[in-house]
Coordinates of all heavy atoms in Angstrom, one line a residue:
E247 N 31.9 -18.7 28.0 CA 32.1 -19.1 26.7 C 32.2 -17.9 25.8 O 31.6 -16.9 26.0 CB 31.0 -20.0 26.2 CG 31.1 -21.4 27.0 CD 30.1 -22.3 26.3 OE1 30.0 -22.4 25.1 OE2 29.4 -23.0 27.1
R248 N 32.8 -18.1 24.7 CA 33.0 -17.0 23.6 C 32.6 -17.7 22.2 O 32.8 -18.8 22.0 CB 34.4 -16.5 23.6 CG 34.8 -15.7 24.7 CD 36.2 -15.2 24.6 NE 36.5 -14.4 25.8 CZ 37.3 -13.3 25.7 NH1 37.7 -12.9 24.6 NH2 37.6 -12.7 26.8
A249 N 32.1 -16.8 21.4 CA 31.8 -17.2 20.0 C 32.4 -16.1 19.1 O 32.4 -14.9 19.5 CB 30.3 -17.4 19.8
R250 N 32.7 -16.5 17.9 CA 33.1 -15.5 16.9 C 32.2 -15.5 15.7 O 31.8 -16.6 15.3 CB 34.5 -15.8 16.4 CG 35.1 -14.9 15.4 CD 36.5 -15.3 15.0 NE 37.4 -15.2 16.2 CZ 38.4 -14.5 16.3 NH1 38.8 -13.8 15.2 NH2 39.1 -14.4 17.4
V251 N 31.8 -14.4 15.3 CA 30.9 -14.3 14.1 C 31.8 -13.7 13.0 O 32.3 -12.6 13.2 CB 29.6 -13.4 14.4 CG1 28.8 -13.3 13.2 CG2 28.8 -14.0 15.5
S252 N 31.8 -14.3 11.9 CA 32.5 -13.8 10.7 C 31.6 -13.6 9.5 O 30.8 -14.6 9.2 CB 33.6 -14.7 10.3 OG 34.3 -14.3 9.2
C253 N 31.5 -12.5 8.9 CA 30.7 -12.3 7.8 C 31.4 -11.6 6.6 O 32.2 -10.7 6.8 CB 29.4 -11.4 8.2 SG 28.4 -12.1 9.5
N254 N 31.0 -11.9 5.4 CA 31.4 -11.1 4.2 C 30.3 -10.2 3.9 O 29.1 -10.6 3.7 CB 31.7 -12.0 3.0 CG 32.9 -12.8 3.3 OD1 33.9 -12.4 3.9 ND2 32.9 -14.1 2.9
L255 N 30.5 -8.9 3.8 CA 29.5 -7.9 3.4 C 29.5 -7.8 1.9 O 30.4 -7.2 1.3 CB 29.8 -6.6 4.1 CG 29.8 -6.6 5.6 CD1 30.2 -5.2 6.1 CD2 28.4 -6.9 6.0
I256 N 28.5 -8.4 1.3 CA 28.4 -8.5 -0.2 C 28.0 -7.2 -0.7 O 28.4 -6.7 -1.8 CB 27.4 -9.6 -0.7 CG1 27.8 -11.0 0.0 CG2 27.3 -9.7 -2.1 CD1 29.2 -11.4 -0.4
D257 N 27.1 -6.5 -0.1 CA 26.6 -5.2 -0.5 C 26.6 -4.3 0.7 O 25.6 -4.1 1.3 CB 25.2 -5.3 -1.1 CG 24.7 -4.0 -1.7 OD1 25.3 -3.0 -1.6 OD2 23.6 -4.0 -2.2
P258 N 27.8 -3.7 1.0 CA 27.9 -2.9 2.3 C 27.1 -1.6 2.3 O 26.8 -1.1 3.4 CB 29.4 -2.7 2.4 CG 29.9 -2.8 1.0 CD 29.0 -3.8 0.4
V259 N 26.6 -1.2 1.1 CA 25.7 0.0 1.1 C 24.4 -0.4 1.6 O 23.7 0.3 2.3 CB 25.6 0.6 -0.4 CG1 24.6 1.7 -0.4 CG2 27.0 1.0 -0.7
A260 N 23.9 -1.6 1.2 CA 22.5 -2.1 1.7 C 22.6 -2.5 3.1 O 21.7 -2.3 3.9 CB 22.1 -3.2 0.7
T261 N 23.6 -3.3 3.5 CA 23.8 -3.8 4.9 C 25.3 -3.6 5.2 O 26.1 -4.4 4.7 CB 23.4 -5.3 5.0 OG1 22.1 -5.4 4.6 CG2 23.6 -5.7 6.4
G262 N 25.5 -2.6 6.0 CA 26.9 -2.3 6.3 C 27.3 -2.8 7.7 O 26.6 -3.6 8.4
P263 N 28.5 -2.6 8.1 CA 29.0 -3.1 9.3 C 28.2 -2.6 10.6 O 28.1 -3.4 11.5 CB 30.5 -2.6 9.4 CG 30.6 -1.5 8.4 CD 29.5 -1.8 7.4
L264 N 27.7 -1.4 10.6 CA 26.8 -1.0 11.6 C 25.6 -1.7 11.8 O 25.3 -2.2 12.9 CB 26.5 0.6 11.5 CG 25.6 1.1 12.6 CD1 26.3 1.1 13.9 CD2 25.3 2.6 12.2
E265 N 24.9 -2.0 10.7 CA 23.6 -2.8 10.8 C 23.9 -4.3 11.1 O 23.2 -4.9 12.0 CB 23.0 -2.8 9.4 CG 22.4 -1.4 9.0 CD 23.4 -0.5 8.4 OE1 24.6 -1.0 8.1 OE2 23.1 0.7 8.2
L266 N 25.0 -4.8 10.6 CA 25.4 -6.2 11.0 C 25.8 -6.2 12.5 O 25.2 -7.2 13.2 CB 26.6 -6.7 10.2 CG 27.1 -8.0 10.5 CD1 26.0 -9.1 10.2 CD2 28.3 -8.3 9.7
Y267 N 26.6 -5.3 13.0 CA 27.0 -5.3 14.4 C 25.7 -5.2 15.3 O 25.6 -6.0 16.3 CB 27.9 -4.2 14.7 CG 28.4 -4.0 16.1 CD1 29.6 -4.6 16.4 CD2 27.6 -3.4 17.0 CE1 30.1 -4.5 17.7 CE2 28.1 -3.3 18.3 CZ 29.3 -3.9 18.7 OH 29.8 -3.8 20.0
D268 N 24.8 -4.3 15.0 CA 23.6 -4.1 15.8 C 22.8 -5.4 15.8 O 22.2 -5.7 16.8 CB 22.9 -2.9 15.3 CG 23.6 -1.6 15.7 OD1 24.5 -1.6 16.6 OD2 23.2 -0.5 15.2
A269 N 22.6 -6.0 14.6 CA 21.8 -7.2 14.5 C 22.4 -8.3 15.4 O 21.7 -9.0 16.1 CB 21.7 -7.7 13.1
V270 N 23.7 -8.5 15.3 CA 24.4 -9.6 16.1 C 24.3 -9.2 17.5 O 24.0 -10.1 18.4 CB 25.9 -9.7 15.6 CG1 26.7 -10.6 16.6 CG2 26.0 -10.3 14.2
A271 N 24.5 -7.9 17.9 CA 24.4 -7.6 19.3 C 23.1 -7.8 19.9 O 22.9 -8.2 21.0 CB 24.8 -6.0 19.5
S272 N 22.1 -7.6 19.1 CA 20.6 -7.8 19.5 C 20.4 -9.3 19.8 O 19.8 -9.7 20.8 CB 19.6 -7.3 18.5 OG 18.4 -7.6 18.8
L273 N 20.9 -10.2 18.9 CA 20.8 -11.6 19.1 C 21.5 -12.1 20.2 O 21.1 -12.9 21.1 CB 21.2 -12.3 17.8 CG 20.3 -12.2 16.6 CD1 21.0 -12.7 15.3 CD2 18.9 -12.7 16.8
V274 N 22.7 -11.6 20.4 CA 23.6 -12.0 21.5 C 23.0 -11.5 22.8 O 23.0 -12.3 23.8 CB 25.0 -11.4 21.3 CG1 25.9 -11.5 22.5 CG2 25.7 -12.1 20.1
G275 N 22.5 -10.3 22.8 CA 21.8 -9.7 24.0 C 20.6 -10.6 24.4 O 20.4 -10.8 25.6
A276 N 19.9 -11.1 23.4 CA 18.7 -11.8 23.7 C 19.0 -13.2 24.3 O 18.3 -13.8 25.0 CB 17.9 -12.1 22.4
A277 N 20.3 -13.6 24.1 CA 20.8 -14.8 24.6 C 21.5 -14.6 26.0 O 22.0 -15.6 26.6 CB 21.8 -15.5 23.7
G278 N 21.5 -13.4 26.5 CA 22.0 -13.1 27.7 C 23.5 -12.8 27.7 O 24.2 -12.8 28.8
A279 N 24.1 -12.5 26.6 CA 25.5 -12.2 26.5 C 25.8 -10.8 25.9 O 24.8 -10.1 25.6 CB 26.2 -13.2 25.7
T280 N 27.0 -10.4 25.7 CA 27.3 -9.1 25.2 C 28.4 -9.3 24.0 O 29.2 -10.2 24.1 CB 27.9 -8.1 26.1 OG1 29.0 -8.6 26.8 CG2 26.8 -7.8 27.2
V281 N 28.4 -8.4 23.1 CA 29.4 -8.4 22.1 C 30.7 -7.7 22.7 O 30.6 -6.6 23.3 CB 28.9 -7.6 20.9 CG1 30.1 -7.5 19.8 CG2 27.8 -8.3 20.2
L282 N 31.8 -8.3 22.5 CA 33.0 -7.8 23.0 C 33.7 -6.8 22.1 O 34.5 -5.9 22.5 CB 34.0 -8.9 23.4 CG 33.5 -9.8 24.5 CD1 34.5 -10.9 24.7 CD2 33.2 -9.1 25.8
G283 N 33.5 -6.9 20.8 CA 34.2 -6.0 19.9 C 34.0 -6.5 18.4 O 33.3 -7.5 18.2
A284 N 34.5 -5.7 17.5 CA 34.3 -6.0 16.1 C 35.7 -5.7 15.4 O 36.5 -4.9 15.9 CB 33.3 -5.2 15.5
E285 N 35.9 -6.3 14.3 CA 37.1 -6.1 13.5 C 36.8 -6.0 12.0 O 36.1 -6.9 11.5 CB 38.1 -7.2 13.8 CG 39.4 -7.1 13.0 CD 40.2 -8.4 13.1 OE1 39.8 -9.4 13.6 OE2 41.4 -8.2 12.8
L286 N 37.3 -5.1 11.4 CA 37.1 -5.0 9.9 C 38.4 -5.6 9.3 O 39.5 -5.2 9.6 CB 37.0 -3.5 9.5 CG 37.1 -3.3 7.9 CD1 35.8 -3.9 7.3 CD2 37.2 -1.8 7.6
V287 N 38.2 -6.6 8.5 CA 39.3 -7.3 7.8 C 39.1 -6.8 6.3 O 38.1 -7.1 5.7 CB 39.2 -8.8 7.9 CG1 40.3 -9.5 7.1 CG2 39.2 -9.2 9.3
G288 N 40.1 -6.1 5.9 CA 40.1 -5.5 4.6 C 39.7 -4.1 4.6 O 40.0 -3.4 5.6
L289 N 39.1 -3.6 3.5 CA 38.8 -2.2 3.4 C 37.3 -1.9 3.2 O 36.6 -2.9 2.9 CB 39.6 -1.6 2.2 CG 41.1 -1.7 2.3 CD1 41.7 -1.3 0.9 CD2 41.7 -1.0 3.4
I290 N 36.9 -0.7 3.4 CA 35.5 -0.3 3.2 C 35.4 0.9 2.3 O 36.2 1.7 2.4 CB 34.9 -0.1 4.7 CG1 33.4 0.1 4.6 CG2 35.6 1.1 5.3 CD1 32.8 0.0 6.0
P291 N 34.3 0.9 1.5 CA 34.1 2.2 0.7 C 33.9 3.4 1.6 O 33.2 3.3 2.6 CB 32.9 1.9 -0.1 CG 32.8 0.4 -0.1 CD 33.4 -0.1 1.2
V292 N 34.4 4.5 1.2 CA 34.4 5.7 2.1 C 32.9 6.1 2.3 O 32.4 6.6 3.3 CB 35.2 6.8 1.6 CG1 34.6 7.5 0.3 CG2 35.4 7.9 2.6
A293 N 32.0 5.9 1.2 CA 30.6 6.2 1.4 C 30.0 5.4 2.5 O 29.1 6.0 3.2 CB 29.9 5.9 0.1
V294 N 30.3 4.2 2.7 CA 29.8 3.4 3.8 C 30.4 3.8 5.0 O 29.6 4.0 6.1 CB 30.1 1.9 3.6 CG1 29.7 1.0 4.7 CG2 29.5 1.4 2.3
L295 N 31.6 4.1 5.1 CA 32.3 4.7 6.3 C 31.6 6.0 6.8 O 31.3 6.2 8.0 CB 33.8 4.8 6.1 CG 34.7 5.2 7.3 CD1 34.6 4.1 8.3 CD2 36.1 5.4 6.8
D296 N 31.4 6.9 5.8 CA 30.8 8.2 6.1 C 29.4 8.1 6.7 O 28.9 9.0 7.3 CB 30.9 9.1 4.9 CG 32.3 9.6 4.6 OD1 33.2 9.5 5.5 OD2 32.5 10.1 3.5
A297 N 28.7 7.0 6.3 CA 27.3 6.9 6.8 C 27.2 6.4 8.2 O 26.1 6.4 8.8 CB 26.6 5.9 5.8
I298 N 28.4 6.0 8.8 CA 28.4 5.5 10.2 C 28.9 6.6 11.1 O 29.9 7.2 10.9 CB 29.4 4.3 10.3 CG1 28.9 3.1 9.4 CG2 29.5 3.8 11.7 CD1 30.0 2.1 9.2
P299 N 28.0 6.9 12.1 CA 28.5 7.9 13.1 C 29.9 7.6 13.7 O 30.1 6.5 14.1 CB 27.4 7.8 14.2 CG 26.2 7.2 13.5 CD 26.8 6.3 12.5
R300 N 30.7 8.6 13.7 CA 32.1 8.5 14.2 C 32.1 7.9 15.6 O 33.0 7.2 16.0 CB 32.9 9.8 14.1 CG 33.3 10.1 12.7 CD 34.3 11.2 12.7 NE 34.7 11.5 11.3 CZ 35.8 11.1 10.7 NH1 36.7 10.4 11.4 NH2 36.1 11.4 9.4
A301 N 31.1 8.3 16.4 CA 31.0 7.8 17.8 C 30.9 6.3 17.8 O 31.2 5.6 18.8 CB 29.8 8.3 18.5
R302 N 30.6 5.6 16.7 CA 30.5 4.1 16.7 C 31.7 3.5 16.1 O 31.9 2.2 16.1 CB 29.3 3.7 15.9 CG 27.9 4.2 16.3 CD 27.4 3.5 17.6 NE 27.3 2.1 17.5 CZ 26.3 1.4 17.0 NH1 25.2 1.9 16.6 NH2 26.4 0.0 17.1
W303 N 32.6 4.2 15.5 CA 33.8 3.7 14.8 C 34.7 2.8 15.7 O 35.1 1.7 15.3 CB 34.7 4.8 14.2 CG 34.1 5.4 12.9 CD1 32.8 5.3 12.5 CD2 34.8 6.2 12.0 NE1 32.7 6.0 11.4 CE2 33.9 6.6 11.0 CE3 36.1 6.6 11.9 CZ2 34.2 7.3 9.9 CZ3 36.5 7.4 10.8 CH2 35.5 7.8 9.8
D304 N 34.9 3.2 16.9 CA 35.8 2.4 17.8 C 35.2 1.0 18.0 O 35.9 0.0 17.9 CB 36.1 3.1 19.1 CG 37.1 4.2 19.0 OD1 37.8 4.3 18.0 OD2 37.1 5.0 19.9
A305 N 34.0 0.9 18.4 CA 33.3 -0.4 18.6 C 33.3 -1.3 17.4 O 33.4 -2.5 17.5 CB 31.9 -0.1 19.1
L306 N 33.3 -0.7 16.2 CA 33.3 -1.4 15.0 C 34.7 -1.7 14.4 O 34.8 -2.3 13.3 CB 32.4 -0.7 13.9 CG 31.0 -0.5 14.3 CD1 30.3 0.5 13.3 CD2 30.2 -1.8 14.2
G307 N 35.7 -1.2 15.1 CA 37.0 -1.4 14.5 C 37.3 -0.5 13.3 O 38.1 -1.0 12.4
L308 N 36.7 0.6 13.1 CA 36.9 1.4 11.9 C 37.8 2.6 12.1 O 37.8 3.2 13.2 CB 35.5 1.9 11.5 CG 34.5 0.9 11.2 CD1 33.1 1.5 10.8 CD2 34.9 -0.1 10.0
T309 N 38.5 3.0 11.1 CA 39.3 4.2 11.1 C 39.2 4.8 9.6 O 38.9 4.1 8.7 CB 40.7 4.0 11.4 OG1 41.3 3.2 10.4 CG2 40.9 3.4 12.8
A310 N 39.4 6.1 9.5 CA 39.4 6.7 8.2 C 40.4 6.1 7.2 O 40.2 6.0 6.0 CB 39.7 8.2 8.3
G311 N 41.5 5.6 7.7 CA 42.6 4.9 6.9 C 42.2 3.6 6.4 O 42.9 3.0 5.6
R312 N 41.0 3.0 6.8 CA 40.6 1.7 6.4 C 39.7 1.8 5.2 O 39.1 0.8 4.7 CB 39.9 1.0 7.5 CG 40.7 0.7 8.8 CD 42.0 -0.1 8.4 NE 41.7 -1.4 7.8 CZ 41.5 -2.6 8.4 NH1 41.5 -2.6 9.7 NH2 41.2 -3.7 7.8
S313 N 39.5 3.0 4.6 CA 38.6 3.1 3.4 C 39.5 2.7 2.2 O 40.7 2.9 2.1 CB 38.0 4.5 3.2 OG 39.0 5.4 2.8
V314 N 38.7 2.2 1.1 CA 39.4 1.9 -0.1 C 40.0 3.2 -0.7 O 41.2 3.1 -1.2 CB 38.2 1.4 -1.1 CG1 38.9 1.2 -2.5 CG2 37.6 0.1 -0.6
E315 N 39.3 4.2 -0.6 CA 39.8 5.5 -1.3 C 41.1 6.0 -0.5 O 42.0 6.5 -1.1 CB 38.7 6.6 -1.2 CG 37.6 6.3 -2.1 CD 36.5 5.2 -1.6 OE1 36.7 4.7 -0.4 OE2 35.5 5.0 -2.2
A316 N 41.1 5.9 0.8 CA 42.3 6.3 1.6 C 43.5 5.4 1.2 O 44.6 6.0 1.1 CB 42.0 6.2 3.1
R317 N 43.3 4.2 1.0 CA 44.4 3.3 0.6 C 44.9 3.5 -0.7 O 46.1 3.5 -1.0 CB 43.9 1.8 0.7 CG 45.0 0.8 0.7 CD 46.1 1.0 1.8 NE 45.5 0.9 3.0 CZ 45.4 -0.2 3.8 NH1 45.9 -1.3 3.3 NH2 44.9 -0.2 5.0
I318 N 44.0 3.9 -1.7 CA 44.4 4.2 -3.0 C 45.2 5.5 -3.0 O 46.3 5.7 -3.6 CB 43.2 4.4 -4.0 CG1 42.6 3.0 -4.2 CG2 43.6 5.1 -5.3 CD1 41.3 3.0 -5.0
A319 N 44.7 6.5 -2.2 CA 45.5 7.8 -2.1 C 46.8 7.6 -1.5 O 47.8 8.2 -1.9 CB 44.6 8.8 -1.3
L320 N 46.9 6.8 -0.5 CA 48.2 6.5 0.1 C 49.1 5.8 -0.8 O 50.3 6.2 -1.0 CB 48.0 5.6 1.4 CG 49.3 5.2 2.1 CD1 49.9 6.4 2.7 CD2 48.9 4.2 3.2
R321 N 48.6 4.8 -1.5 CA 49.5 4.1 -2.5 C 49.9 5.0 -3.6 O 51.1 5.0 -4.0 CB 48.6 2.9 -3.0 CG 49.4 2.1 -4.0 CD 50.3 1.2 -3.4 NE 50.8 0.3 -4.3 CZ 52.0 -0.2 -4.3 NH1 52.8 0.0 -3.3 NH2 52.5 -1.0 -5.2
A322 N 49.0 5.9 -4.1 CA 49.4 6.9 -5.2 C 50.5 7.8 -4.7 O 51.4 8.1 -5.4 CB 48.1 7.7 -5.6
G323 N 50.4 8.2 -3.5 CA 51.4 9.1 -2.9 C 52.7 8.5 -2.7 O 53.7 9.2 -2.8
T324 N 52.8 7.2 -2.4 CA 54.0 6.6 -2.1 C 54.7 6.1 -3.4 O 55.9 5.8 -3.4 CB 53.9 5.3 -1.2 OG1 53.0 4.4 -1.8 CG2 53.4 5.8 0.2
T325 N 53.9 5.9 -4.5 CA 54.6 5.4 -5.7 C 54.7 6.5 -6.8 O 55.4 6.3 -7.7 CB 53.6 4.3 -6.3 OG1 52.4 4.9 -6.6 CG2 53.5 3.1 -5.4
R326 N 54.3 7.7 -6.5 CA 54.4 8.8 -7.5 C 55.8 9.1 -7.9 O 56.1 9.2 -9.1 CB 53.7 10.1 -6.9 CG 53.7 11.2 -7.9 CD 52.8 12.4 -7.4 NE 51.5 11.8 -7.1 CZ 50.7 12.4 -6.2 NH1 51.0 13.4 -5.5 NH2 49.5 11.9 -6.1
G327 N 56.7 9.2 -7.0 CA 58.1 9.5 -7.3 C 59.0 8.4 -7.7 O 60.2 8.5 -7.8
S328 N 58.4 7.1 -7.6 CA 59.3 6.0 -7.8 C 59.4 5.5 -9.3 O 60.0 4.4 -9.5 CB 58.8 4.9 -6.9 OG 57.5 4.5 -7.3
A329 N 58.8 6.1 -10.2 CA 58.8 5.7 -11.6 C 60.1 5.9 -12.3 O 60.9 6.7 -12.0 CB 57.7 6.3 -12.4

């Protein structure tokens, strides 16, 4: 059997994706199962991303391009010459 856990991180500085993943993995492990993966839907503040060890990014579905700041920079770069 499989289950999906979906959460909105209201204050990702206080409780970020790493803490949430580890809490879910602990509960799932206690039930005799394992977490298969994680997915970030949307963007994450770079300060939260930087607080997570890069070695954990793959398991959490994170990349540098998924930060709010990276998306703003990308957007600014693509729209700069189009005015």
Side-chain angles (χ1 to χ4, degrees):
E247 289 188 43
R248 292 182 180 215
R250 180 179 299 237
V251 176
S252 178
C253 297
N254 292 323
L255 298 176
I256 304 301
D257 185 357
V259 173
T261 303
L264 179 62
E265 293 81 12
L266 178 62
Y267 182 95
D268 288 346
V270 170
S272 177
L273 293 169
V274 168
T280 58
V281 173
L282 298 177
E285 175 187 18
L286 173 66
V287 177
L289 302 173
I290 188 169
V292 74
V294 174
L295 187 62
D296 287 346
I298 300 169
R300 284 192 181 257
R302 302 285 308 272
W303 284 18
D304 283 345
L306 296 167
L308 302 174
T309 66
R312 298 299 304 269
S313 75
V314 174
E315 293 81 356
R317 191 60 56 94
I318 290 170
L320 178 65
R321 181 78 172 149
T324 60
T325 60
R326 186 171 299 154
S328 62

